[in-house]
Amino acid sequence: MTTMQNHLPTENPADLEFQQVPIVSIGGGLGSFALVDRLRIGGVSTADIRVVSLHRQPEQAFADACRDSGMGPRDRLRSESSARIDNLWGFPGYAAREAHETKSPGLILRSLVEPVLARPYAPTAGLVQHAVKEETARIGWNKMTVRGMALRVQRQPDGGYVVLVRRRGNRRDLALVCDYVHLALGPFGPKLTPEAVGFRLEHPYPQRLVHAYEQHSEVYDDLAEHGGSVLVRGSGIASSRVLQRLIEDRERSGKDVHIFQLFRSYDDDGCGFTHHPYDFPKAALGGQLRDTMRRLDEDGRIELSTKLGATSTPYRTEWAAPLREARAEGWYDALAGEVQQFVALDDQVRAQIRLADKETYELDVDYVIDATGMDQRADNHPLISDMVQQGIVEVNDLGCLRVGDDFVVAGSENHSGAIFASGMNARGGPLGPVDSFLGLQSAALSIADVLADHGLGERLTPARSVRQWWKWMGRKSL
Ligand SMILES: Cc1cc2nc3c(=O)[nH]c(=O)nc-3n(C[C@H](O)[C@H](O)[C@H](O)COP(=O)(O)OP(=O)(O)OC[C@H]3O[C@@H](n4cnc5c(N)ncnc54)[C@H](O)[C@@H]3O)c2cc1C
């Protein structure tokens, strides 16, 4: 214990409480949930797992992001029926559950004949969140969580790691001494481009430039009350939801709202949008594309996953039809180009745009809503940046953790201990759609196998798998 205390970043180690545990998962979101669920199914006890989390529930960060981007519990996600984060086996899928709850057997049929004879089924945000809540109760999530912020991960000289946690509602910090650390910190925050940051620093109030993944309801309220003009930057699924909200509010309020949308490049076939039902092609998870990805070196993996996961949005008639109407009536305009700078006017924002044909165009609007995605660089998290500086993890050209095929972070193996990463923090690794429900489960399966080989939990043999699935079906607590 003395060696460990000497290495901890605290003025007075006597203020620390120490706990010893084999594995600590940091984040407590859906990435932590996927791993912990798999470990519990593999027989690891709650006493052997700790989850460091700011939230009580693992679906909370996901639910917050849905809400901020304008999605209610009844809005549909971009996932298939069997991509069931609360069900390792994927069967029965979300469609079956929804069919049962809403007494609509047609949903099951639809999920069987999609995408040829029907539009692909997607679960609602509320259904996914509710199902996760049920599974957390079944696996004893509460017994494993430590509410707080992980401040530091430090390598121990004689093997393993120590995770320092600033606990919520407890004046004493906690030092979790462990063999294995799992990192699933998700995005650092909304992605703010340099021109957006520059504008916001100089003109913080009133907020004329907001991000789609931040709370920005006051923009919709103001437009619904007074009318006005708005520039939506981006063409992914978040932009589709922003447009939906603006259009619905315009219809409801009867106010004159003019919408401009800025695409980076304009796809003529989709009126600017690139349409795909999912973020990544299905084969990137388990088919040929996954095998191709595994065979590539790091540069090749980054290039292929960037290409496969390029910005797109699903085609939905409830989004396409009102936009067609808006174009015809002249209150929606699309532009293709890049913003060079935002300039504050008296009570508007001027966007200086370099158009695709290299001309500069100046657009004055009341509001800008940036739908430019999330900040995906793992090394923007102070915790990870500190670990890079200590030399216990490596990052790739995307700024994400360099992971091997088993999701062990390069450079982290320490005698019997190691660090694993999944979700957005592990982009550029062996799996393209790593930041998706199925991607998190796939990473969890690989990590759990490594741990099982080191004596923590068991591999999922067919017999164990069937037994466990039966328990899952019967909602039997583990
Ligand atoms: C609007 C939206 C819709 C989506 N729809 C789909 C879909 O339809 N299908 C699909 O497959 N995927 C979807 N996704 C992606 C899916 O939500 C992510 O793959 C998943 O949430 C990632 O889980 P995570 O645990 O890696 O990150 P998160 O769920 O973001 O959790 C990370 C957690 O780590 C915490 N944290 C960070 N630093 C620390 C620290 N130092 N100490 C303690 N805690 C820390 C954060 O506060 C956060 O709570 C969607 C995502 C969004 C935002």
Side-chain angles (χ1 to χ4, degrees), residues 237-249:
I237 188 164
S239 78
S240 298
R241 293 194 197 294
V242 168
L243 293 174
Q244 179 186 13
R245 171 82 193 262
L246 289 168
I247 292 171
E248 282 173 3
D249 283 2

Side-chain angles (χ1 to χ4, degrees), residues 26-27 29-32 52-55 61-62 65-66 69 71 77-79 148-150 184-187 213 374 381 383 423-424 435-437 440:
I26 306 177
L30 295 182
S32 292
V52 181
S53 177
L54 297 168
H55 303 292
F62 170 69
C66 286
S69 69
M71 276 178 85
L77 293 169
R78 200 180 182 187
S79 240
M149 163 88 83
L185 307 186
Y213 282 113
M374 295 288 204
H381 281 285
L383 182 75
M424 200 175 270
D435 185 41
S436 64
F437 302 158
L440 295 172

Side-chain angles (χ1 to χ4, degrees), residues 58-80:
E59 74 283 2
Q60 192 60 54
F62 170 69
D64 290 349
C66 286
R67 186 204 54 219
D68 290 343
S69 69
M71 276 178 85
R74 278 197 290 229
D75 286 320
R76 300 219 169 251
L77 293 169
R78 200 180 182 187
S79 240
E80 56 188 302

Side-chain angles (χ1 to χ4, degrees), residues 333-355:
D333 285 299
L335 304 157
E338 301 262 2
V339 173
Q340 304 291 292
Q341 203 186 353
F342 289 112
V343 180
L345 305 177
D346 277 351
D347 48 9
Q348 282 201 311
V349 188
R350 171 165 296 163
Q352 292 177 338
I353 301 166
R354 193 170 155 85
L355 297 174

